[in-house]
Every structure is written in structure tokens, then in C-alpha cells.
């Protein structure tokens, strides 16, 4: 290739890739334009138009002159960038078919990094075939998920304070008492306690809840003090505590809660105090489940 021809070709990728060759309708003969060398493994014939090798990435020298895929005649390309630029040679799709990414199976999930503390576990997969010629790109090759180990190195149970409090409306407690859920609890003595929390955050799905049995979620608001009652059968018979009640948590610790019936209605709160009985308004009164 002459130096003038190479300079003309390498300047084609800017803007709309100006056509420096002969006038429209001309055919490329042995003398009429640049011949791409054996580096591309191709030969420009007078009848068939450009037959180029498939070039990776964006390559201004991977060009010829002939019919383009859009029906126009002129300079065309056979690199990976021609699909986005819209100036591929007419046989690009056949000569350089799109090859999608192919990935392998997921690995097993890793363990949690620490005991008794919320963390992340990971799993990975490998790309067995990279995409070529504008093929479908690879999906994510790594995923993460939350995890919590409930046993410490000595095998003792831990992590109670990281378990979210599952709550529902206090109206449900009336039915719960009538059903006398467990014979382990004495019917003669009222068992339970109340915990006050101050809500710190909540998802938008709480306010959007419109189902009749779940409208109580609409009354959850940031900055409000709410009362949550712990009573059987939510109360553990051994510890006599409800999961997620913030036992031993100081007032500055962020705790998590989730509404029963709508897992997307969730948020955080801080423990204020524990009382024998709750005294919050009905709309701000809930129970552990």
C-alpha cells in the first residue's frame, strides 16, 4: 500500500468517515485504490467487492471500497466498530458473525468474612467465551449477598441483635390472646413487655401499601416513637424475649425491622426503653411476630 493510500485510510474514522476514494459507482481494480495486504488475509476483486478479514476493536485500516450494508457504495469497514458507525461492508454479517459471551456455572457461595457480624458472601463465574463482532456482552461475573453467622468460634449462639424485628399491627394481639397459642404459658398471669423505638428510616413501600389488612403500614413515619409489644407465642419460652427486640442494645445502635405481609416495607429504628406495658396511640402500636 502506498503511503498516500494508507494516510487516506487511517483518517477515515473521524466523524462520518469521509470517503477519500474514487467517485461513486467505481469499481476497485488493481490500480484504482488501496489494496489491503495479506495482514488481513483478503483480496479485493473487481466483481465481488471487499472481502476483508474481521478486525478487532476500531481499526481504520480494516477498510475497502464497495457496497455497504446500508445499500450505499463507497468506503466500508470490517472492524467491530462498523456496527455502531453503520458503515459495515455488505458481507460483514456473514463474514464476521456476532459471537455472544458465554459464561460458566456459578461457583459455590463463599462463607461470611466474620462471625456474629453482618457481612457479604460472594460467588463468581468465568467467561468461557468473550464476545466478538458486536455480540452480546458478558453478564455480571460476580454476585454478592448478605450473610450472618449465628455461632461464634466457641460454638455459642450470637447475632441476636442483627436479626430484624418482624412486626404487625397491635390489632392482631386481640385475636392472639383469644387463641391461647401455647399451653406453656400460664393463663392466670399476663406475660410480656413493651419496647419503645424511634424510627430512623423506612422504605417508600410502606406508604404505598393499600391492601385493607395492611393499611397499618401507612402510619409508620420517620422520627416517630412507636411501641412494640412482646407476648406469646412470639416470645421465646427459654429466654422469654422476642427476636429483634434490641436486648442489650444501647440507644445509639441502629436496629432493623420488617413489616409482616410486605417484606419491602422495612426500615431502621433505635431502642428508647423497655416498659412493662405500652402506652402509644393505636396507630403507633405494634407487636412482635
Amino acid at each position: 500500500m502506498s503511503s498516500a493510500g494508507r494516510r487516506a485510510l487511517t483518517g477515515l474514522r473521524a466523524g462520518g468517515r469521509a470517503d477519500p476514494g474514487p467517485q461513486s459507482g467505481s469499481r476497485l481494480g488493481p490500480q484504482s485504490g488501496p489494496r489491503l495486504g495479506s495482514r488481513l488475509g483478503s483480496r479485493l476483486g473487481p466483481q465481488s467487492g471487499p472481502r476483508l478479514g474481521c478486525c478487532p476493536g476500531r481499526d481504520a485500516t480494516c477498510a475497502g471500497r464497495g457496497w455497504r450494508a446500508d445499500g450505499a457504495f463507497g468506503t466500508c469497514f470490517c472492524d467491530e466498530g462498523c456496527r455502531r458507525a453503520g458503515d459495515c461492508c455488505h458481507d460483514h454479517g456473514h463474514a464476521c458473525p456476532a459471537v455472544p459471551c458465554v459464561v460458566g456455572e456459578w461457583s459455590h457461595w463463599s462463607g461470611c468474612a466474620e462471625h456474629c457480624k453482618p457481612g457479604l458472601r460472594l460467588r463468581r463465574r468465568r467467561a468461557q467465551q468473550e464476545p466478538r463482532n458486536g455480540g452480546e456482552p458478558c453478564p455480571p461475573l460476580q454476585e454478592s449477598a448478605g450473610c450472618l453467622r449465628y455461632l461464634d468460634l466457641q460454638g455459642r449462639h450470637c447475632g441476636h441483635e442483627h436479626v430484624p424485628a418482624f412486626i404487625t399491627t397491635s390489632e392482631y394481639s386481640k385475636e392472639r390472646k383469644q387463641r391461647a397459642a401455647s399451653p406453656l404459658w400460664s393463663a392466670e398471669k399476663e406475660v410480656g413487655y413493651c419496647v419503645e423505638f424511634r424510627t430512623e428510616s423506612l422504605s417508600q413501600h410502606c406508604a404505598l401499601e393499600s391492601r385493607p389488612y395492611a393499611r397499618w403500614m401507612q402510619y409508620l413515619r420517620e422520627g416517630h416513637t412507636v411501641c412494640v409489644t412482646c407476648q406469646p407465642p412470639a416470645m421465646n419460652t427459654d429466654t422469654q424475649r422476642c427476636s429483634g427486640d434490641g436486648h442489650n442494645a444501647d440507644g445509639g445502635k441502629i436496629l432493623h425491622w420488617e413489616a409482616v405481609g410486605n417484606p419491602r416495607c422495612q426500615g431502621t429504628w433505635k431502642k428508647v426503653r423497655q416498659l412493662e406495658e405500652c402506652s402509644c396511640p393505636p396507630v403507633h402500636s405494634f407487636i412482635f411476630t
Side-chain angles (χ1 to χ4, degrees), residues 56-108:
R58 296 176 64 85
D59 187 347
T61 66
C62 191
R65 187 169 177 78
W67 293 104
R68 295 201 297 256
D70 61 4
F73 188 90
T75 302
C76 61
F77 295 82
C78 272
D79 61 0
E80 289 183 329
C82 74
R83 291 177 182 265
R84 293 188 298 272
D87 53 10
C88 295
C89 296
H90 72 92
D91 60 348
H92 179 268
H94 176 74
C96 309
V99 178
C101 175
V102 176
V103 297
E105 296 293 328
W106 286 109
S107 66
H108 294 293

Side-chain angles (χ1 to χ4, degrees), residues 11-69:
L12 293 174
R13 301 319 290 249
R17 287 172 164 171
D19 183 1
Q23 295 298 315
S24 176
S26 65
R27 294 178 180 269
L28 286 177
Q31 306 298 327
S32 61
R35 293 175 61 88
L36 299 181
S38 58
R39 181 179 65 83
L40 297 176
S42 62
R43 181 172 298 174
L44 300 180
Q47 302 297 329
S48 62
R51 297 177 61 84
L52 308 176
C54 303
C55 305
R58 296 176 64 85
D59 187 347
T61 66
C62 191
R65 187 169 177 78
W67 293 104
R68 295 201 297 256

Side-chain angles (χ1 to χ4, degrees), residues 7 21 51 106 139 142 192 209 219 253 272:
R7 285 196 301 272
R51 297 177 61 84
W106 286 109
Q142 177 175 300
E209 183 58 75
Y219 297 102
K253 187 172 185 60
V272 178

Side-chain angles (χ1 to χ4, degrees), residues 118-186:
L120 292 176
R121 54 180 179 167
L122 304 174
R123 67 174 184 174
R124 296 182 175 88
R125 57 184 174 183
R126 296 181 180 275
Q128 298 178 336
Q129 175 179 274
E130 296 290 342
R132 299 194 305 273
N133 305 326
E136 188 72 21
C138 293
L141 301 179
Q142 177 175 300
E143 283 187 345
S144 61
C147 66
L148 176 63
R149 289 185 178 179
Y150 290 92
L151 297 178
D152 61 19
L153 295 175
Q154 287 73 39
R156 294 171 301 194
H157 195 70
C158 62
H160 308 282
E161 60 191 51
H162 302 295
V163 178
F166 293 96
I167 62 171
T168 188
T169 173
S170 61
E171 291 295 315
Y172 182 69
S173 66
K174 298 177 182 178
E175 180 182 352
R176 173 184 280 177
K177 290 179 180 178
Q178 293 174 358
R179 286 193 285 164
S182 174
L184 298 176
W185 302 102
S186 172

